[in-house]
Amino acid sequence: MGLKTCGGGDGKIEKWKNSSPVISRSKMKIWIVRATTTVLLWTCVVQLTALGELWGPRVLKGWPSCFTPPSSSSVSSTTSTSNSNPLLAVKLSSVPAKLPLPPKRVYKNNGYLMVSANGGLNQMRAAICDMVTIARYLNVTLIVPELDKTSFWADPSEFQDIFDVDHFISSLRDEVRILKELPPRLKRRVEQGMFYSMPPISWSNISYYLEQILPLIKKYKIVHLNKTDARLANNGLPLEIQKLRCRVNYNALRFTTQIEELGRRVIRILRQNGQFLVLHLRYEMDMLAFSGCTQGCNDKEVEELTRMRYAYPWWKEKEINSDLKRTEGLCPLTPEETALTLRALEIDPNIQIYIAAGEIYGGERRMESLAASYPNLVRKETLLRQSDLRFFQNHSSQMAALDYLVSMESDIFVPTYDGNMAKVVEGHRRFLGFKKTVLLDRKHLVFLIDQYNNGVLDWNEFSSSVKVVHSKRMGNPTRRVVISDRPKEEDFFYANPEECLQLPDSM
């Protein structure tokens, strides 16, 4: 029985051996068919998705326009939500939404453009927007701009220390090719000095770049533009150029994650206590030395500021009549003048006032009147731990970026001087739905303040006059002032980018 069973087993095994190749080949065919079908289906899905992103209707894709600011109702609803529950995550309205990558623009590359931006953060920001726009219309490759490290602040920050460089490059790839650095072969040419460097002419039309700069790029392949602030005209440019400047400013230039997260933390702390006003109190030592404005300073301070002005050769104006400059409205308001102005405008004395500025010249002595009128004065240094800011120390542009984010989200923004930050923030707040921005008429204000201090006006007369002067200076829709033969006296494009705003038809 045992032998028979073994014999029967051998027969079955032999039969299985003979049939196994057939079974293996059948299973292999089935596996190949399934794998091929899966690959084909997946390819179809990918292709359909790509076509949908390129051609699908904007409503289905959920793509907001780069140039349509959020409505006032959406801004106010976000604010009210933050007020009702300050523990909710803060959404920064100034931070562009994450969108699918646009398709790459294919064009003949005419050469490479290197850029050195000069000045403080917002001066460089506007220049970067202009240079991206110029690179696009010259059909050249832009190298990520170099930031100023030789100005008064001596900030060593690189572009990627302040802005999200990958977002900057990818979000604009349908307009211009941007590289983090030159290709190795061209980098060697630059190291050998084989390139052309120059500052472009201020307030130039795009035709200047097409007729004067483009031939240089074609000849030398690499052109370096330095001192790039205010090098593109405010007005007289095609609509698509103006809109691209806005797209770069309000969509492509996003701060780093580290700066955004710290900004959210500051805003969340402020929102826990209700509404807040951002005061850009431009009363730092460098501002006073540069402007020559010494109102309220003692003799020792006046001497110190004058010495500082003479120490910097690029501050060309040396002999300055401070009193005359003040009466012409060319000086930043002092902390004392600012306190009177806010009280005259009937700003709630209990509101939080976030000071967006560096160290105030004169310290606590000069801040006494403002602190007495508005006791809830705060700064980033008082709201955050020292450890939170240690990476930002001695990096003025990164500190300014933090102030920029808080300024965007404030209920009211009040700059005491119309410098670059005041102008760029004003324009950005207009873009976000004409958020309240008090644009102080300093010439009229100092006249009224002097009359009040000299007893010519009583408090009610003074307050009423200040309110009348500023009734239409709250960041409401206005037309940009155009003075074709005096571009420096025009309204700055980035303070009122009206081509990118939703203006009333009646204007």
Side-chain angles (χ1 to χ4, degrees):
M1 290 291 294
L3 291 172
K4 188 175 180 181
T5 303
C6 288
D10 288 344
K12 289 179 181 179
I13 291 170
E14 187 66 30
K15 184 177 180 181
W16 178 83
K17 284 182 179 179
N18 293 333
S19 62
S20 61
V22 178
I23 295 170
S24 298
R25 283 194 295 271
S26 298
K27 288 184 176 180
M28 182 65 71
K29 286 180 180 179
I30 293 170
W31 184 87
I32 292 171
V33 170
R34 286 177 178 174
T36 305
T37 304
T38 302
V39 171
L40 288 172
L41 287 172
W42 179 248
T43 303
C44 290
V45 169
V46 170
Q47 292 297 324
L48 287 171
T49 303
L51 288 172
E53 289 190 357
L54 285 174
W55 299 325
R58 201 174 266 186
V59 173
L60 294 177
K61 291 191 296 181
W63 272 40
S65 170
C66 290
F67 313 116
T68 305
S71 63
S72 299
S73 59
S74 65
V75 172
S76 61
S77 64
T78 302
T79 302
S80 62
T81 302
S82 299
N83 288 336
S84 62
N85 190 350
L87 297 180
L88 291 175
V90 173
K91 181 179 180 182
L92 299 176
S93 59
S94 60
V95 175
K98 291 184 179 180
L99 302 174
L101 290 180
K104 287 185 179 180
R105 175 170 173 255
V106 179
Y107 59 94
K108 181 182 177 182
N109 181 34
N110 288 319
Y112 294 81
L113 180 63
M114 298 171 62
V115 169
S116 292
N118 58 298
L121 173 66
N122 293 285
Q123 189 173 345
M124 293 190 292
R125 183 185 183 113
I128 291 166
C129 296
D130 287 351
M131 292 300 113
V132 170
T133 304
I134 289 163
R136 187 258 181 261
Y137 283 92
L138 299 186
N139 286 335
V140 298
T141 296
L142 177 70
I143 307 304
V144 168
E146 178 187 21
L147 303 187
D148 193 346
K149 300 176 183 61
T150 61
S151 64
F152 169 82
W153 304 277
D155 187 341
S157 298
E158 302 288 354
F159 185 98
Q160 62 269 18
D161 297 324
I162 300 172
F163 300 107
D164 184 336
V165 66
D166 293 324
H167 173 77
F168 175 70
I169 293 171
S170 61
S171 65
L172 292 167
R173 69 182 201 159
D174 61 329
E175 293 284 1
V176 62
R177 182 179 179 225
I178 304 175
L179 299 179
K180 292 182 180 179
E181 57 182 17
L182 284 165
R185 177 177 60 85
L186 296 176
K187 189 186 292 186
R188 287 193 293 272
R189 289 187 58 179
V190 170
E191 291 169 353
Q192 295 167 5
M194 299 171 62
F195 68 101
Y196 192 88
S197 183
M198 63 173 289
I201 297 174
S202 300
W203 312 112
S204 296
N205 200 296
I206 195 67
S207 60
Y208 162 77
Y209 290 92
L210 290 168
E211 295 167 9
Q212 302 293 326
I213 304 301
L214 182 57
L216 292 172
I217 295 176
K218 289 183 175 180
K219 179 179 179 180
Y220 294 96
K221 295 303 178 187
I222 308 168
V223 166
H224 171 241
L225 297 183
N226 53 52
K227 297 181 181 178
T228 52
D229 62 319
R231 304 294 153 161
L232 192 58
N234 290 315
N235 303 294
L237 298 174
L239 181 62
E240 61 269 20
I241 288 181
Q242 302 291 54
K243 284 186 173 288
L244 181 54
R245 293 167 95 178
C246 292
R247 178 178 171 185
V248 180
N249 197 17
Y250 306 130
N251 182 273
L253 286 177
R254 182 165 66 191
F255 293 123
T256 63
T257 302
Q258 184 183 19
I259 293 172
E260 282 186 14
E261 288 177 351
L262 201 56
R264 287 190 183 95
R265 193 185 309 173
V266 173
I267 294 162
R268 185 165 56 247
I269 294 169
L270 289 165
R271 283 281 173 230
Q272 287 173 351
N273 296 312
Q275 293 188 323
F276 68 97
L277 177 153
V278 167
L279 180 64
H280 185 43
L281 189 59
R282 197 70 173 92
Y283 208 75
E284 302 97 338
M285 185 178 183
D286 65 291
M287 180 72 243
L288 300 181
F290 171 73
S291 64
C293 297
T294 57
Q295 176 74 10
C297 296
N298 58 39
D299 292 342
K300 184 178 179 181
E301 289 170 338
V302 172
E303 183 181 343
E304 181 180 39
L305 293 172
T306 303
R307 274 201 313 270
M308 183 178 183
R309 183 162 68 251
Y310 275 87
Y312 290 89
W314 55 88
W315 291 356
K316 297 179 181 178
E317 191 179 7
K318 303 298 183 183
E319 295 294 332
I320 298 174
N321 185 325
S322 176
D323 293 335
L324 178 61
K325 201 164 186 178
R326 176 177 174 270
T327 58
E328 292 175 348
L330 300 176
C331 287
L333 291 187
T334 67
E336 297 88 353
E337 291 168 341
T338 302
L340 280 174
T341 301
L342 296 180
R343 285 175 54 207
L345 290 170
E346 295 187 349
I347 300 295
D348 184 352
N350 296 313
I351 195 171
Q352 299 171 98
I353 295 185
Y354 175 93
I355 305 294
E359 184 178 351
I360 302 303
Y361 191 63
E364 293 183 6
R365 176 180 67 84
R366 298 305 301 272
M367 293 294 288
E368 283 178 359
S369 60
L370 185 59
S373 299
Y374 293 92
N376 293 326
L377 295 178
V378 295
R379 306 171 64 97
K380 50 186 171 292
E381 292 85 356
T382 62
L383 296 175
L384 298 170
R385 299 185 300 269
Q386 188 175 0
S387 58
D388 295 326
L389 291 170
R390 70 176 182 272
F391 294 112
F392 295 81
Q393 298 298 329
N394 302 319
H395 293 81
S396 60
S397 291
Q398 294 182 50
M399 287 286 207
L402 185 57
D403 283 343
Y404 189 99
L405 286 174
V406 180
S407 299
M408 287 297 103
E409 302 302 318
S410 65
D411 298 284
I412 308 172
F413 176 68
V414 184
T416 60
Y417 187 72
D418 55 353
N420 287 290
M421 177 168 175
K423 291 175 180 177
V424 176
V425 168
E426 174 194 344
H428 204 154
R429 286 174 67 87
R430 287 177 183 271
F431 182 80
L432 294 175
F434 299 98
K435 301 176 78 171
K436 190 172 183 179
T437 304
V438 183
L439 306 171
L440 299 178
D441 185 337
R442 294 188 306 281
K443 185 175 182 178
H444 212 136
L445 267 175
V446 296
F447 173 75
L448 292 173
I449 287 170
D450 287 346
Q451 284 197 314
Y452 171 70
N453 287 335
N454 293 330
V456 177
L457 296 176
D458 63 25
W459 178 256
N460 290 333
E461 291 171 327
F462 170 68
S463 178
S464 177
S465 298
V466 171
K467 283 184 281 191
V468 168
V469 169
H470 294 92
S471 60
K472 294 183 179 180
R473 297 176 63 87
M474 298 290 176
N476 46 297
T478 58
R479 289 294 181 189
R480 198 167 59 241
V481 174
V482 179
I483 310 174
S484 56
D485 58 335
R486 298 196 302 276
K488 290 184 179 180
E489 298 176 27
E490 294 180 327
D491 285 345
F492 190 39
F493 171 80
Y494 292 102
N496 186 10
E498 62 179 54
E499 294 88 343
C500 310
L501 310 177
Q502 293 180 332
L503 299 175
D505 296 333
S506 57
M507 289 185 60

